[in-house]
Amino acid sequence: MTPEQILSHPPLALTREQREFYFDNGYLLVERIVPQEWIDRLTQVTNEMVEQSRSLTKSDAVFDLEPGHTVDEPRLRRLTSPVEQHPTYWEFASKSVVVDLAADLVGPDVKFHHSKLNFKWQSGGEEVKWHQDITYWPHTNYSPLTIGVYLHDVGDDQGPLGAIPVSHKGPLYNQYNDDNQWVGCLGEEDARGIDASTTDYLTGPAGSITIHNCRLVHGSRQNMSDKGRPLLLNIYSSADAFTYTANPLPSKYEGAIVKGKPALWAHHDDRPCLVPPDWSGGYTSLYALQQQEEWDRDQIEKLARQTAQIRRED
Ligand SMILES: O=C(O)CCC(=O)C(=O)O
């Protein structure tokens, strides 16, 4: 659907100005839109997840650990596919205001793709380099978007999400290095070519929402503050967008229609898309790939087993 067609549907959660801002700029911040009750519930299950991670010594398909993670001082980079880990996350992704936000920006028929919870731990939580999401998980069109909710208040020193305005209308960049290895971020030369001085860092109180289009160039700085920055991210598309590569973060909910009805016809955008490596045997993590971290054989085997298990449950 074109922005005009989407805008012809009455808004459910956003103003016309907010919807137009998203279409023009490729991202949006909406402050305090998620009720505190939801933030409390999500925080409680997230604390339970952190407890579960304490005894781990290596990252796996569920918990992506930062170097330095210990039993006494857990440091998580990411909880992978939270909707698989606790029903509260799926209830939020499928029944809360985020579904209406998605419908306001992709149209009345909304499909779920995947989820993740990026922690950006205090005192050093890792940077996310400039990248575009769609080449991790190509779809037949560019409707997919990511809706993040800040579980804590997020200020400028906590590594808020940074968006390069209007970059969704620009090119898709190569996210392989010169040796054709997937690094999941722009190469140095491309990164130098973007005007980072225009970056909009999306800060806001707990319950604020960030939304970014799948073509937008975005990233975030290290968190050197003494406060964490848990950001719960859910990805949706219009129902007529179909994937043609393996989902890096598979889930039994992939493809669930969370609003409206399934599509009978696929919509194809004629702009080409870089394809990622085949993730069907398992995907380490955005952080591990961007930092070119080596995972050992045991980890890779465990990841493949866990991924196969999730795919069997689909
Ligand atoms: O957690 C972050 O700061 C980055 C999130 C991100 O890059 C994404 O959702 O694609």
Side-chain angles (χ1 to χ4, degrees), residues 9-159:
H9 292 269
L12 301 171
L14 295 172
T15 63
R16 183 164 179 109
E17 289 68 33
Q18 287 170 320
R19 295 168 93 189
E20 285 177 347
F21 183 94
Y22 169 82
F23 293 125
D24 291 345
N25 292 283
Y27 70 95
L28 182 66
L29 171 75
V30 189
E31 290 199 4
R32 289 185 208 276
I33 189 167
V34 177
Q36 188 60 40
E37 221 172 88
W38 259 122
I39 298 301
D40 292 343
R41 286 183 65 194
L42 292 167
T43 302
Q44 190 187 330
V45 295
T46 300
N47 291 342
E48 287 169 27
M49 293 293 140
V50 173
E51 284 309 305
Q52 276 183 36
S53 78
R54 279 182 188 268
S55 59
L56 293 174
T57 54
K58 288 176 186 169
S59 297
D60 61 19
V62 178
F63 296 105
D64 183 349
L65 311 180
E66 244 185 46
H69 171 93
T70 62
V71 177
D72 295 332
E73 282 189 47
R75 295 188 67 85
L76 290 181
R77 288 192 295 209
R78 172 178 281 182
L79 173 66
T80 299
S81 205
V83 292
E84 290 283 314
Q85 318 309 337
H86 197 287
T88 299
Y89 292 119
W90 175 243
E91 194 184 328
F92 179 71
S94 60
K95 295 202 170 64
S96 74
V97 65
V98 287
V99 177
D100 288 341
L101 290 166
D104 278 349
L105 301 177
V106 305
D109 302 319
V110 183
K111 192 192 280 187
F112 176 82
H113 187 246
H114 75 273
S115 68
K116 51 217 172 191
L117 200 168
N118 289 355
F119 284 91
K120 190 119 26 204
W121 217 263
Q122 63 264 25
S123 314
E126 269 175 35
E127 88 167 309
V128 174
K129 297 181 183 176
W130 296 122
H131 68 283
Q132 290 165 309
D133 294 336
I134 193 65
T135 58
Y136 280 81
W137 26 265
H139 282 60
T140 55
N141 63 50
Y142 295 104
S143 64
L145 48 72
T146 297
I147 303 187
V149 53
Y150 286 134
L151 301 186
H152 292 177
D153 295 351
V154 174
D156 207 39
D157 58 347
Q158 282 163 272

